Amino acid sequence: MKSAHRTAFETFGYLCRELELYMGGMTKRPVVVAINKMDTDHADEHFKKFVEQYQTLMARLVKVHSIVPVSCYTGQGILDLQNILYELKYGEIPKAYTETIV
């Protein structure tokens, strides 16, 4: 039975389509995908499935720089996400951003 909710991969596909309709070529820029809710049940399985689906179905269409598992609830992966975004913008990660904030 199909769920009434979209999967993360389906949502990603819709967002990529919207970006292309808004401004052609947007999906050729580096994309950072943050997968939230990694603190929930079966999150690791869903994350792995998303990565597999991206690699087999969309890797040639959308240039993804990183797929980052995060949990806004626990803070898991937030520092990694910050570092990736900072490095994309400035080309390096400052020492202040490499220490975990507790």
Side-chain angles (χ1 to χ4, degrees), residues 7-75:
T7 66
F9 185 75
E10 289 170 329
T11 301
F12 178 68
Y14 284 121
L15 289 171
C16 289
R17 184 170 183 270
E18 286 294 319
L19 282 172
E20 280 301 314
L21 290 172
Y22 174 72
M23 183 183 294
M26 288 290 285
T27 55
K28 302 301 179 207
R29 295 179 175 190
V31 173
V32 176
V33 179
I35 304 291
N36 192 25
K37 308 271 187 202
M38 290 303 295
D39 55 289
T40 60
D41 292 338
H42 309 292
D44 289 332
E45 295 166 27
H46 294 300
F47 180 78
K48 288 176 187 174
K49 185 175 180 179
F50 178 92
V51 172
E52 289 172 6
Q53 288 177 314
Y54 166 75
Q55 291 172 338
T56 58
L57 301 172
M58 291 189 73
R60 287 177 274 136
L61 303 173
V62 180
K63 181 181 176 182
V64 170
H65 177 276
S66 303
I67 302 173
V68 187
V70 300
S71 168
C72 291
Y73 181 73
T74 66

Side-chain angles (χ1 to χ4, degrees), residues 78-97:
I78 299 299
L79 183 61
D80 293 333
L81 179 60
Q82 287 175 327
N83 288 338
I84 289 166
L85 295 173
Y86 194 93
E87 185 177 17
L88 274 174
K89 181 165 174 108
Y90 299 109
E92 63 181 321
I93 302 171
K95 289 183 182 183
Y97 283 93

